[in-house]
Amino acid sequence: MNRIKRRRDAPRTNRRGTRSRRSAYRAPTVRDVSAAADVSVGTVSHVLSNARNVSPETRARVQRAMKRLGYKPNRIAQSLIRRRTMAVGMVIPDVANPFFAELARGAEDVLAGADYALVFGNSDNDAHKERRYIDSFKERQVDGMIVAIASDAESKAILEFAKQTAMVLVDRAFKDWSGDTVLGDNSLGMGLAVNHLVELGHRRIGLVNGDPELSTAKQRRAGFERSLHRHGLEARLIREGRFTLDSGQEQTRDMLALPEPPTAICAANDLLALGALLAAAERNVKVPAELSVVGYDDIAYARLAQPRLTTISQPAYEMGAAAARLLLQRLASPGRRSEHQVVAPRLVVRDSTVGLR
Amino acid sequence: MNRIKRRRDAPRTNRRGTRSRRSAYRAPTVRDVSAAADVSVGTVSHVLSNARNVSPETRARVQRAMKRLGYKPNRIAQSLIRRRTMAVGMVIPDVANPFFAELARGAEDVLAGADYALVFGNSDNDAHKERRYIDSFKERQVDGMIVAIASDAESKAILEFAKQTAMVLVDRAFKDWSGDTVLGDNSLGMGLAVNHLVELGHRRIGLVNGDPELSTAKQRRAGFERSLHRHGLEARLIREGRFTLDSGQEQTRDMLALPEPPTAICAANDLLALGALLAAAERNVKVPAELSVVGYDDIAYARLAQPRLTTISQPAYEMGAAAARLLLQRLASPGRRSEHQVVAPRLVVRDSTVGLR
DNA sequence: CTGAAAGCGCTAACAG
DNA sequence: CTGTTAGCGCTTTCAG
């Protein structure tokens, strides 16, 4: 009893009785509030969480004390005992890619609305980096994660991880994954692009692709090939690289140097398509007159490019928001069946594609 | 003693003696490890943190136990007692703005290298939202924050906050702020733009500006006016709005409808400039032949626009990285003098500006 | 070199 | 309706 008394009276002194020297300021705690309002800590906690009835007068007194002291609950302490951090991790390849920036925005907006904090990691499509972020987030006890997975290189670990904490895959998945997903229909989308080009009379159509280990790249390639075959065409002009502008430029440069260059190019994302435009400009190949180009994603800059880019549109913001909503749902009811949302791609015709004359 | 024994033997049972029903799995704790290795929890903690000497045999035994159990320290518990979360908050207006996406990348890369997690908030340049994120991050006990502040509306609260936790302002600041900063020289930058235009023979130069309460907008406007005056010109053609593409389009549309429209436009960022290009296209005003446009920031898409945008370049990635480094330094030595880094703007001439014939 | 135990700030079971 | 108190998982004295 004496010991406890001492603690309540002098909470700011350490065992030696000296005030801690570093940082004079120390945020008020439940104990400070309870002392100020002359109630027990339990009561303070309860007015905070509304977990049980507290008489109006007591409540008011406590709230006044809180305000006066500028009390804010320490979320870390809450997390420790509640076993919930109210934080979710997100790992995407690169925020500097507008598609993922939008996607992140979508996720953040819904998560913030539910009082979750978003902690971020850019994997650069590197399975190692991705794994490091996931591990780090796990140690930090995030309640869940949203990830645009780089490859299936770490699939074992991911699957293991997902058993322990909520996880939804967005934009990209891997086989063996059976949890929640929000994915585009990449094969269909690429089909749309090919159909458009074929309808315009193109026969020699090339594919400028991203990192071949990514599920999006695989599926877009598959869609490309399938669709060409369906039209009785061969899929020979295929390049792969990374999902970057530079790679797009390089791949296109390469293709345009062919004895029989393509008359049209499908790029697996808009960055690649923009790179293709640059490569064409280098060689003085006119787009769309001499080369049609279609992109994928419909980032904001697609319509600002010259010529305005025909592309396969995907609602990045919505995909992020949907992934976040799915995560929230799973957090609320861990037992529910997993859900697989697929968002439909849409062809947006602008000025970078034109009929073969 | 009996009580303690019980705890060590049955740590996974709650007070009623029933196993918790939810989540069969529970991560191993120091206690589990200590039991498995037959040492005290203190020893386990010490092999983890190397805080004191532990005999090689004991250490090995503990490490084996850790590995066997798959033990990972609980960062939340560590944070609570160490009073460090190894997390930093970042609030920027919008990741979907490539300038800030790059900046965020820069910060994240250096922070991740130092084992800090980055938690994110988009303020949309809304002082309220910004304040909410800052409060939230504070409750979450972040070790520090990097913020591109919206306005001085909440400056009181911000200053108060900064007394308690490390904070560096990036890209934007407010008067009264005397802490660490990484800022561009906006006035100088705008001067560069104006000089360039004047040298090309332009006399009727308009300013398309962003949110007037932002320090960047104020300074860029000031630089614009000062520079024009220095050339003996009046600064009459000034519009303000938001730092978005749409706003740029709108402001420019408005200006071009004037009886005496400008022959050149300074836009306070590239998004605005891109909007200006759109507005010009609408009216069939040729850029640069009939209207020169210069942007600000030099986002990746500036050189992809048509025409390629002349702009004032700022190293967004480096600014983010520098801010993160500053924060790390302050975290390491809280007493150090605050540092004010200013990054030099650079004129990049491309195709959107041309001499008046 | 090691163990015991007191907390970090909070929640929630238990006992009035 | 309110107070007491045992922990959450970890670190860090203090005592051997």
Side-chain angles (χ1 to χ4, degrees):
Chain A
M1 149 55 162
N2 183 34
R3 207 187 74 237
I4 288 166
K5 210 55 188 148
R6 238 193 73 232
R7 273 174 59 197
R8 295 188 61 160
D9 291 350
R12 264 65 190 298
T13 53
N14 60 22
R15 214 173 301 185
R16 284 225 169 92
T18 57
R19 278 186 73 92
S20 84
R21 321 90 282 185
R22 180 71 158 75
S23 85
Y25 175 85
R26 189 83 147 270
T29 72
V30 264
R31 193 138 56 220
D32 298 319
V33 176
S34 77
D38 203 42
V39 295
S40 73
V41 294
T43 302
V44 174
S45 171
H46 286 124
V47 346
L48 215 58
S49 54
N50 264 321
R52 75 182 178 190
N53 280 346
V54 175
S55 80
E57 307 90 74
T58 318
R59 164 179 304 270
R61 199 145 38 85
V62 171
Q63 283 171 334
R64 233 176 303 123
M66 284 181 176
K67 184 144 296 169
R68 186 152 47 79
L69 300 180
Y71 171 79
K72 297 272 183 201
N74 181 329
R75 296 261 210 162
I76 299 297
Q78 290 182 325
S79 298
L80 184 59
I81 189 165
R82 289 186 181 161
R83 320 186 97 71
R84 299 187 71 193
T85 50
M86 295 302 282
V88 341
M90 171 159 215
V91 11
I92 55 177
D94 187 9
V95 250
N97 177 337
F99 176 78
F100 287 106
E102 280 293 341
L103 191 148
R105 255 325 289 256
E108 207 225 290
D109 285 353
V110 352
L111 257 13
D115 199 32
Y116 277 87
L118 224 207
V119 12
F120 237 85
N122 291 107
S123 71
D124 288 319
N125 286 328
D126 172 341
H128 243 85
K129 255 179 147 172
E130 179 174 275
R131 175 67 191 283
R132 279 224 316 276
Y133 275 115
I134 292 178
D135 281 348
S136 153
F137 293 169
K138 176 184 171 174
E139 281 185 27
R140 295 182 131 89
Q141 320 282 126
V142 297
D143 293 338
M145 297 194 45
I146 297 175
V147 7
I149 205 122
S151 73
D152 48 13
E154 296 280 1
S155 60
K156 280 265 175 38
I158 306 269
L159 286 167
E160 200 49 45
F161 171 84
K163 281 186 199 158
Q164 301 163 214
T165 111
M167 178 154 167
V168 4
L169 258 34
V170 67
D171 186 53
R172 285 120 64 138
F174 58 93
K175 63 175 168 44
D176 298 351
W177 175 260
S178 55
D180 295 313
T181 52
V182 177
L183 303 172
D185 189 336
N186 297 296
S187 177
L188 174 62
M190 221 23 152
L192 258 29
V194 169
N195 285 349
H196 171 61
L197 260 12
V198 170
E199 274 167 22
L200 288 175
H202 292 278
R203 292 297 173 266
R204 281 206 313 285
I205 304 176
L207 172 66
V208 166
N209 203 0
D211 315 50
E213 69 276 17
L214 302 185
S215 68
T216 40
K218 286 184 204 158
Q219 291 172 10
R220 287 175 196 173
R221 176 177 178 149
F224 175 81
E225 296 174 329
R226 180 140 37 93
S227 193
L228 279 185
H229 293 153
R230 200 170 281 160
H231 288 289
L233 299 170
E234 269 187 279
R236 280 176 302 106
L237 296 165
I238 293 181
R239 294 288 180 284
E240 305 195 297
R242 310 211 61 200
F243 273 118
T244 64
L245 190 114
D246 288 349
S247 180
Q249 185 166 7
E250 205 170 304
Q251 292 179 52
T252 305
R253 199 180 276 150
D254 184 43
M255 251 186 218
L256 293 179
L258 254 28
E260 279 206 330
T263 63
I265 279 179
C266 284
N269 82 356
D270 286 342
L271 259 26
L272 290 167
L274 260 15
L277 259 28
L278 255 27
E282 268 175 14
R283 282 211 149 225
N284 244 309
V285 170
K286 302 288 175 235
V287 177
E290 305 169 67
L291 179 73
S292 285
V293 174
V294 13
Y296 208 110
D297 285 346
D298 195 18
I299 61 176
Y301 307 91
R303 71 181 178 100
L304 300 171
Q306 175 63 12
R308 295 157 58 236
L309 204 61
T310 293
T311 190
I312 305 298
S313 176
Q314 294 200 107
Y317 183 95
E318 250 320 308
M319 288 173 73
R325 266 181 248 118
L326 233 48
L327 188 63
L328 254 24
Q329 288 177 25
R330 175 146 310 278
L331 255 19
S333 41
R336 66 200 292 277
R337 296 186 49 196
S338 54
E339 197 168 313
H340 304 281
Q341 296 190 9
V342 9
V343 333
R346 200 165 47 82
L347 173 69
V348 177
V349 179
R350 286 197 275 249
D351 311 330
S352 66
T353 48
V354 82
L356 265 195
R357 98 241 88 105
Chain B
M1 149 58 161
N2 184 33
R3 207 187 74 236
I4 288 168
K5 211 51 189 149
R6 238 194 73 233
R7 274 173 60 195
R8 295 188 60 162
D9 291 349
R12 264 64 188 299
T13 54
N14 62 22
R15 215 172 300 185
R16 285 224 169 93
T18 58
R19 279 188 70 92
S20 82
R21 322 90 282 185
R22 192 34 183 96
S23 86
Y25 175 85
R26 188 84 147 272
T29 73
V30 264
R31 194 137 56 222
D32 298 319
V33 176
S34 78
D38 203 40
V39 295
S40 72
V41 293
T43 301
V44 174
S45 173
H46 286 123
V47 344
L48 214 58
S49 54
N50 264 320
R52 76 180 179 193
N53 280 345
V54 175
S55 79
E57 309 88 75
T58 316
R59 165 178 304 269
R61 201 143 37 85
V62 171
Q63 282 170 333
R64 233 176 302 123
M66 285 180 175
K67 184 143 297 170
R68 186 151 47 79
L69 300 179
Y71 171 79
K72 297 269 185 204
N74 181 328
R75 295 259 212 162
I76 299 297
Q78 289 182 326
S79 297
L80 184 59
I81 190 165
R82 290 185 182 163
R83 321 187 96 71
R84 297 187 72 193
T85 50
M86 295 303 282
V88 341
M90 170 159 216
V91 13
I92 55 177
D94 187 10
V95 250
N97 176 338
F99 177 77
F100 288 105
E102 279 292 342
L103 192 148
R105 257 321 294 252
E108 208 226 288
D109 286 352
V110 351
L111 257 14
D115 199 31
Y116 278 87
L118 225 206
V119 11
F120 237 85
N122 291 106
S123 70
D124 287 320
N125 286 330
D126 173 341
H128 244 84
K129 253 178 148 173
E130 179 174 275
R131 175 67 192 283
R132 278 225 317 276
Y133 275 116
I134 291 178
D135 282 347
S136 152
F137 292 169
K138 177 183 172 174
E139 284 183 24
R140 295 182 131 89
Q141 318 285 124
V142 297
D143 293 338
M145 297 194 45
I146 298 175
V147 9
I149 206 123
S151 74
D152 47 12
E154 295 280 3
S155 60
K156 281 265 176 34
I158 306 268
L159 285 168
E160 200 50 44
F161 171 83
K163 280 187 199 157
Q164 301 162 214
T165 110
M167 179 154 165
V168 4
L169 258 34
V170 68
D171 185 52
R172 284 119 66 135
F174 57 93
K175 65 177 167 44
D176 298 350
W177 174 261
S178 55
D180 295 312
T181 52
V182 176
L183 303 172
D185 189 336
N186 296 296
S187 177
L188 174 62
M190 222 22 152
L192 257 29
V194 170
N195 285 349
H196 171 61
L197 259 12
V198 171
E199 274 167 23
L200 289 174
H202 292 277
R203 292 295 173 267
R204 283 206 312 285
I205 303 175
L207 173 67
V208 166
N209 204 1
D211 316 50
E213 69 276 17
L214 303 184
S215 69
T216 40
K218 286 184 202 158
Q219 292 173 9
R220 286 173 197 175
R221 176 178 178 148
F224 175 81
E225 295 175 330
R226 180 138 39 91
S227 193
L228 278 185
H229 294 152
R230 200 169 281 162
H231 287 290
L233 300 170
E234 270 187 279
R236 280 176 301 107
L237 295 166
I238 292 180
R239 295 288 180 284
E240 303 195 298
R242 310 211 63 201
F243 273 118
T244 63
L245 190 113
D246 288 348
S247 179
Q249 184 167 7
E250 206 171 303
Q251 293 179 51
T252 305
R253 199 182 275 149
D254 184 43
M255 248 185 219
L256 293 179
L258 254 29
E260 279 207 329
T263 63
I265 279 180
C266 285
N269 80 357
D270 286 342
L271 260 26
L272 290 167
L274 260 16
L277 258 30
L278 256 27
E282 269 174 15
R283 281 212 147 223
N284 243 310
V285 170
K286 300 291 176 233
V287 177
E290 304 169 67
L291 179 72
S292 284
V293 174
V294 11
Y296 208 110
D297 286 345
D298 196 18
I299 61 176
Y301 306 90
R303 72 181 178 100
L304 300 172
Q306 175 63 11
R308 293 158 59 235
L309 205 60
T310 292
T311 189
I312 305 299
S313 175
Q314 293 200 108
Y317 183 93
E318 249 321 307
M319 289 173 74
R325 267 182 248 118
L326 234 47
L327 187 63
L328 254 22
Q329 289 177 25
R330 175 147 311 279
L331 256 19
S333 42
R336 66 200 293 277
R337 297 187 48 197
S338 54
E339 197 167 313
H340 304 281
Q341 297 191 8
V342 11
V343 332
R346 201 165 47 81
L347 172 69
V348 177
V349 179
R350 285 197 276 249
D351 311 331
S352 65
T353 49
V354 84
L356 265 195
R357 102 238 84 106

